[in-house]
Amino acid sequence: MANALHNAAMTCGFPSLSTLRAMHKGKHIELKRMAVPIKAKSNSDFDDSGVDISLSHRVDAVKLSKTLAICDHATALSQSGVPVIRLFFGESDFDTPAVIAEAGMNAIRDGYTRYTPNAGTLELRQAICHKLKEENGIIHSPDQIVVSNGAKQSIVQAVLAVCSPGDEVIIPAPFYVSYPEMARLAHATPVILPTHILNDFLLDPKLLEDNLTERSRLLILCSPCNPTGSVYPEKLLEEIAQIVAKHPRLLVLSDENYEHIIYAPATHTSFASLPGMRDRTLTVNGLSKTFAMTGWRLGYIAGPKHFVAACGKIQTQFTSGASSISQKAAVAALGLGYAGGEAVSTMVKAYRERRDFLVESFRDMDGARICEPQGGFYVFIDLSSYYGRQAEGFGLIENSDSLCRYLLEKGQVALVPGSAFGDDSCIRISFAESLSTLSTASFLSFPMANALHNAAISTITFGDDYSVSRCFFPSPSTLPFRTMQKGNHVELKKRVVVVKAKNKSDFDDVEVDVSLSHRVNAVKPSKTVAISDHATALLQAGVPVIRLAAGEPDFDTPTVIAEASSAGMNAIRDGHTRYTPNAGTLELRQAICHKLKEENGITYTPDEILVSNGAKQSVVQAVLALCSPGDEVIIPGPFYVSYPEMARLADANPVIIPTQISNNFLLDPKLLEANLTERSRLLILCSPCNPTGSVYSKKLLEEIAQIVAKHPRLLVLSDEVYEHIIYAPATHTSFASLTGMWDRTLTVNGFSKTFAMTGWRLGYIAGPKHFVAACGKIQSQFTSGASSVSQKAGVAALGLGYAGGEAVSTMVKAFRERRDFLVESFSKMDGVKISEPQGAFYLFIEFSSYYGREAEGFGLIENSDSFCRYLLDKGLVALVPGSAFGDDSCIRISYAQSLTVLKTAVERIEKALILLRSAALL
């Protein structure tokens, strides 16, 4: 059983769908369908209809992260009783230092569990700026920092922000597994430059210079390096900087995640601190490695404001801000002192002892070559001399993949093949485990190596040219560095400016191309996030603004989830602060399956669930997984602000179908049918709806389902994040529970709204395994798994009882009271139209009768944007213009605030409207 499981895992568990790959023809593609007859899990009159299960071209092009695949597989083996020693993962065996853990628990205890600004809390960004100045010699301001759900997200957002199709991303090999896949996600070309074990796996500046072209856009450097542990000396970085300075288009992403895990006499140099490099360098770092905070999911990017703002723009439409709890813990981490103080130095001392043990051990092993790592907690060992040998009871050792399978099967030691990192001659061993564990692994592995050695002597004869020094990586003269894809590059549109670096330089006044990717220019930032951040800034400046913009309950996370005796606190206290499987913990996915069956009438298995950093991430990954350029995403308007931008991120076309206030903003099935074409790929439904509060009846959904069933290419994404915030007699129906819809529906939900867990950043998607696996494939290269602390809290939330039990019903009762007050209040106002919401906590009110009026001291009210600016200026009430949701006649008001606050807000709005009416009469 173990061997069968392993073989499945080592192929990454996802079948190649090369026959489905989209063929580029300019901006759109030929539709390559894979329509198969399927049988829905629900009873159906049209179960055996053809459904197109093809995936987007990007899913087929991107590989699943091998490290995550191996981790998930080794975890499964351990859970089945196989005593696997796991030396594959970049995760410290140390617990998060006590002072950091305590800060996280205090955040929960003090109710610091709400949304933060998209870029991260000001407190944390200021702490990061202080750290960068004191430890790295780089000066940045808080608006040059974006905090994300881990360093991986920071990197991929940077690649997406600066690289357009056809651009080249220069990557020294061996490389971190996700770098090439991130380039492919941006439709850029990864250009791999090999390094050699004899040169400590360091990039040769001449090789770099020889391979730069006018399309070279981004150079990624990682020091200390994952997987090799190599550390770039300052002198070598200066040579590279001189080359970079000659190329205005070339930017540098400096991945410094392991900067403090370094062994003297090696020292760390930040690339941005070098002469002339600050204005073209994006520095990425995180808390996971240095502070043993892998499960907290927190990283950041620092750089020129122009580029960092573009990264933040993408983040507004992908995940929004990171966990509020983790951000509080990070402030404590950065307060431990220079380079993490004693807590970090203690860990580094242990890592050094482990490194020395492994280096000495493997130097004694026949046929092994090793380069002593100067940082990180990995050794990258050349074992290619064992390739081509037969192992009794196993078969032929062909490459690093089969060698790792052999060591897992025969030695029960899980390692990562070098092929994952771009060098098939090696394997990576993590020494982020105790010395006793490493000793056991060596004890088990040595007999395996000896067995292979003996097998080679008895059964295989190599030619004279075969030796331990054999390297399977091609030489620079023979390696095809660059594979340009026809039709997959764009005209270079440069925006070159002359910048003066803030640090002293021999080449301060240099040209730098500050142009951004086409996708950043096409995508709009989230207006709700922008308005919420602006209102927060006004409050911090002492302006008494009433914030009715953000969709965030004013209730604290229910006690059983948040307080000292509960899951979130216990997760930290018990050390549940490590990486989880990419798809989420089995415990949480099982709880989600139980909830969906009992509450929604939909049956799923855990491998049909993917947990993410919020429902927003779940939605955008589904769009990226299913939609190729030229596909159409059908979106009823008014819509959640991010839906059209998510379609644009996938190079798909958002098709907006308007609804009317007179029809409670519900989609007309006839209008839907009239707008469907052969390119219609995804219909997004949101019920209860943000921003209108409309709830789709079962009868109306059944009419829509009958139309969907006629179109094999059309899939449905059902956003049900507000499902339990609903007011009788309205009831919620899950689209996947309808006749024939299970096999073509992806259901998205989360914990933010129902359980007042906005700051915990937790959502999920459920659907057919084929589609959910594709979403997981993208997630493996974008953020990896969600916060381990939040997942424990999620299990507790789903254990509160049907529909959240008394805790949720108490909140819903309060929301209903507030809704009734607002509906009654606004119904009495002149020039206002209102549709009574049946769910969620928003009113979408038409105020267009006030457009065209002049306000004294303000000017003309032209549209919903200027109307909201007027109410903020004159009434100090922050609302969201309807233009953000696709209906400029309305504004959205959130009643996720206390009745007292809402009464004050209504008074302020009414006074402001009276002034407008008076101005109109004059």
Side-chain angles (χ1 to χ4, degrees):
M1 177 192 73
N3 194 35
L5 279 173
H6 184 75
N7 289 336
M10 294 303 287
T11 58
C12 297
F14 202 86
S16 172
L17 295 173
S18 56
T19 57
L20 308 177
R21 183 167 292 141
M23 305 299 293
H24 277 276
K25 283 192 172 181
K27 180 67 177 176
H28 76 261
I29 56 168
E30 288 184 16
L31 300 176
K32 298 281 187 178
R33 295 205 298 136
M34 182 176 176
V36 297
I38 54 175
K39 181 88 175 165
K41 290 189 178 180
S42 54
N43 292 330
S44 169
D45 295 331
F46 39 84
D47 281 345
D48 296 324
S49 60
V51 176
D52 181 3
I53 63 168
S54 59
L55 302 171
S56 73
H57 65 291
R58 69 181 54 81
V59 171
D60 202 24
V62 170
K63 301 173 184 175
L64 181 70
S65 170
K66 268 192 178 178
T67 53
L68 292 180
I70 292 167
C71 171
D72 291 355
H73 173 58
T75 299
L77 288 175
S78 295
Q79 290 172 344
S80 66
V82 180
V84 174
I85 296 177
R86 310 197 303 170
L87 303 182
F88 54 84
F89 222 23
E91 179 169 56
S92 175
D93 62 321
F94 290 98
D95 290 330
T96 303
V99 67
I100 302 173
E102 186 62 32
M105 288 189 283
N106 286 338
I108 298 172
R109 189 181 292 116
D110 298 340
Y112 194 80
T113 55
R114 306 186 189 284
Y115 285 130
T116 73
N118 179 65
T121 64
L122 180 61
E123 178 187 32
L124 176 54
R125 285 180 287 134
Q126 287 174 332
I128 291 169
C129 290
H130 177 78
K131 173 255 186 275
L132 289 171
K133 181 181 179 181
E134 296 299 315
E135 297 181 4
N136 305 86
I138 319 171
I139 297 175
H140 288 299
S141 55
D143 61 357
Q144 294 174 308
I145 310 291
V146 169
V147 178
S148 302
N149 297 281
K152 181 183 281 189
Q153 183 177 358
S154 297
I155 297 170
V156 74
Q157 287 177 169
V159 176
L160 289 169
V162 302
C163 296
S164 290
D167 279 343
E168 296 172 352
V169 180
I170 313 300
I171 305 170
F175 45 71
Y176 173 55
V177 291
S178 293
Y179 293 158
E181 309 314 314
M182 292 171 174
R184 293 183 182 105
L185 279 172
H187 302 301
T189 303
V191 177
I192 310 303
L193 302 185
T195 64
H196 200 281
I197 194 170
L198 297 179
N199 193 33
D200 296 330
F201 295 113
L202 295 171
L203 177 62
D204 179 352
K206 187 177 185 306
L207 185 63
L208 170 65
E209 191 160 27
D210 290 345
N211 280 274
L212 293 178
T213 73
E214 65 172 4
R215 293 195 172 276
S216 301
R217 183 56 175 152
L218 190 64
L219 166 65
I220 300 182
L221 294 175
C222 183
S223 178
C225 178
N226 174 7
T228 65
S230 304
V231 173
Y232 279 75
E234 185 172 10
K235 182 179 179 181
L236 177 56
L237 290 177
E238 287 173 343
E239 290 182 57
I240 293 172
Q242 292 286 344
I243 295 168
V244 169
K246 301 174 186 176
H247 297 265
R249 285 206 78 234
L250 187 59
L251 305 175
V252 177
L253 189 146
S254 183
D255 183 347
E256 304 180 8
N257 214 25
Y258 294 87
E259 65 168 327
H260 291 314
I261 304 174
I262 201 164
Y263 314 115
T267 57
H268 175 70
T269 300
S270 285
F271 197 82
S273 70
L274 300 176
M277 291 299 104
R278 180 187 178 279
D279 292 286
R280 60 170 75 218
T281 301
L282 291 161
T283 302
V284 170
N285 212 321
L287 288 296
S288 294
K289 312 302 181 180
T290 297
F291 299 102
M293 292 178 65
T294 48
W296 298 79
R297 308 310 304 130
L298 207 65
Y300 61 88
I301 192 165
K305 184 178 178 180
H306 177 70
F307 295 124
V308 170
C311 296
K313 187 178 180 184
I314 291 174
Q315 184 161 298
T316 67
Q317 302 294 9
F318 208 104
T319 62
S320 301
S323 162
S324 58
I325 300 159
S326 297
Q327 290 188 61
K328 274 291 186 183
V331 172
L334 295 178
L336 286 176
Y338 191 92
E342 184 180 355
V344 173
S345 64
T346 299
M347 288 190 270
V348 173
K349 182 180 178 182
Y351 294 143
R352 181 167 195 149
E353 184 181 7
R354 300 169 187 181
R355 178 203 67 169
D356 293 345
F357 166 75
L358 284 181
V359 169
E360 183 179 353
S361 298
F362 281 101
R363 277 179 178 159
D364 293 336
M365 183 184 291
D366 289 337
R369 278 196 307 169
I370 190 166
C371 169
E372 181 175 271
Q374 301 302 302
F377 38 61
Y378 311 107
V379 288
F380 203 59
I381 306 175
D382 186 340
L383 294 175
S384 59
S385 64
Y386 290 94
Y387 300 172
R389 306 185 182 188
Q390 290 282 345
E392 186 177 353
F394 179 85
L396 182 65
I397 305 295
E398 298 178 274
N399 48 33
S400 61
D401 289 73
S402 54
L403 179 61
C404 284
R405 286 199 303 272
Y406 170 76
L407 292 172
L408 179 61
E409 182 176 321
K410 300 299 183 181
Q412 295 176 345
V413 179
L415 307 171
V416 187
S419 60
F421 309 102
D423 187 338
D424 193 42
S425 63
C426 298
I427 63 171
R428 190 191 77 174
I429 300 176
S430 168
F431 51 88
E433 289 288 346
S434 70
L435 199 55
S436 60
T437 299
L438 296 174
S439 299
T440 303
S442 298
F443 175 76
L444 291 172
S445 296
F446 270 112
M448 301 307 107
N450 288 335
L452 276 180
H453 181 70
N454 294 334
I457 292 173
S458 61
T459 63
I460 299 176
T461 302
F462 294 104
D464 294 337
D465 61 338
Y466 191 94
S467 68
V468 174
S469 63
R470 176 183 176 192
C471 179
F472 277 78
F473 212 96
S475 67
S477 61
T478 61
L479 185 73
F481 295 114
R482 189 173 285 104
T483 303
M484 295 302 296
Q485 298 171 345
K486 291 183 179 179
N488 195 32
H489 67 266
V490 295
E491 290 295 318
L492 298 177
K493 293 186 177 179
K494 299 197 295 180
R495 182 183 165 202
V496 178
V497 299
V498 176
V499 296
K500 189 168 183 70
K502 290 188 177 179
N503 50 310
K504 293 182 179 180
S505 169
D506 294 331
F507 41 87
D508 281 343
D509 298 320
V510 296
E511 287 187 336
V512 176
D513 182 1
V514 298
S515 59
L516 301 172
S517 72
H518 69 290
R519 69 182 57 81
V520 170
N521 295 323
V523 170
K524 301 173 185 175
S526 169
K527 275 192 180 180
T528 53
V529 172
I531 292 169
S532 177
D533 288 357
H534 178 58
T536 298
L538 289 174
L539 277 174
Q540 291 172 341
V543 180
V545 173
I546 294 177
R547 299 185 298 172
L548 303 183
E552 179 171 52
D554 59 319
F555 293 96
D556 290 331
T557 302
T559 301
V560 70
I561 302 171
E563 279 194 354
S565 61
S566 69
M569 300 282 283
N570 285 339
I572 300 173
R573 187 179 294 110
D574 297 342
H576 192 78
T577 55
R578 306 185 189 281
Y579 286 128
T580 73
N582 181 58
T585 65
L586 180 61
E587 179 187 29
L588 177 55
R589 286 180 289 134
Q590 287 174 331
I592 291 169
C593 289
H594 178 77
K595 171 256 185 283
L596 290 170
K597 182 177 181 180
E598 296 299 315
E599 296 181 5
N600 304 86
I602 325 171
T603 301
Y604 293 104
T605 56
D607 59 357
E608 294 170 321
I609 307 293
L610 177 68
V611 177
S612 302
N613 298 281
K616 181 184 281 189
Q617 182 177 357
S618 297
V619 176
V620 72
Q621 287 177 167
V623 176
L624 289 169
L626 301 175
C627 299
S628 291
D631 279 345
E632 295 172 349
V633 180
I634 313 300
I635 306 170
F639 44 72
Y640 173 55
V641 291
S642 293
Y643 293 157
E645 309 314 316
M646 291 170 175
R648 293 184 183 105
L649 278 173
D651 296 316
N653 299 320
V655 176
I656 310 302
I657 301 181
T659 64
Q660 303 298 323
I661 193 170
S662 58
N663 192 36
N664 296 320
F665 296 112
L666 294 170
L667 177 63
D668 181 348
K670 291 182 181 177
L671 197 56
L672 168 64
E673 191 158 26
N675 279 275
L676 293 178
T677 73
E678 64 171 4
R679 294 195 171 276
S680 301
R681 182 56 174 152
L682 190 64
L683 166 65
I684 301 182
L685 295 175
C686 182
S687 178
C689 178
N690 174 7
T692 65
S694 304
V695 174
Y696 281 75
S697 68
K698 184 176 182 180
K699 182 180 179 182
L700 178 55
L701 289 177
E702 286 174 338
E703 290 183 56
I704 293 171
Q706 293 287 343
I707 294 167
V708 169
K710 301 174 186 177
H711 297 265
R713 287 205 77 236
L714 187 60
L715 304 174
V716 177
L717 189 146
S718 182
D719 184 345
E720 304 180 8
V721 80
Y722 293 92
E723 67 166 326
H724 291 314
I725 302 174
I726 201 164
Y727 314 116
T731 57
H732 175 70
T733 299
S734 286
F735 197 81
S737 70
L738 299 177
T739 300
M741 292 297 104
W742 188 96
D743 291 284
R744 60 170 79 219
T745 302
L746 288 161
T747 301
V748 170
N749 212 320
F751 297 80
S752 294
K753 314 301 181 179
T754 297
F755 299 103
M757 291 176 65
T758 49
W760 298 78
R761 309 311 304 129
L762 200 65
Y764 61 88
I765 194 165
K769 183 179 179 181
H770 176 71
F771 296 130
V772 171
C775 297
K777 191 178 183 185
I778 291 175
Q779 181 163 297
S780 77
Q781 301 293 7
F782 208 104
T783 63
S784 303
S787 162
S788 57
V789 177
S790 298
Q791 290 187 63
K792 273 291 186 184
V795 172
L798 294 179
L800 287 175
Y802 191 93
E806 185 179 356
V808 173
S809 65
T810 299
M811 287 190 276
V812 173
K813 182 179 178 182
F815 289 141
R816 180 167 195 150
E817 184 181 7
R818 300 168 188 181
R819 178 204 67 168
D820 293 346
F821 164 74
L822 288 180
V823 168
E824 183 180 0
S825 299
F826 283 105
S827 295
K828 295 176 182 177
M829 294 184 190
D830 291 337
V832 173
K833 291 182 182 178
I834 190 168
S835 169
E836 183 175 87
Q838 301 302 304
F841 38 64
Y842 308 109
L843 286 179
F844 203 61
I845 307 176
E846 185 176 322
F847 282 99
S848 58
S849 64
Y850 288 90
Y851 299 173
R853 303 188 186 189
E854 292 273 356
E856 186 178 353
F858 180 84
L860 182 66
I861 305 294
E862 299 178 274
N863 48 33
S864 62
D865 288 73
S866 53
F867 186 70
C868 283
R869 285 199 304 273
Y870 170 74
L871 291 178
L872 182 59
D873 184 27
K874 300 299 183 181
L876 297 180
V877 180
L879 307 172
V880 187
S883 61
F885 309 101
D887 188 338
D888 194 42
S889 65
C890 297
I891 64 170
R892 190 190 78 173
I893 298 177
S894 168
Y895 50 90
Q897 290 286 350
S898 71
L899 202 54
T900 302
V901 171
L902 294 175
K903 287 178 179 178
T904 303
V906 167
E907 291 172 2
R908 292 183 183 184
I909 292 171
E910 192 164 22
K911 287 179 182 178
L913 293 181
I914 290 171
L915 289 176
L916 273 183
R917 289 197 292 269
S918 300
L921 291 174
L922 292 174

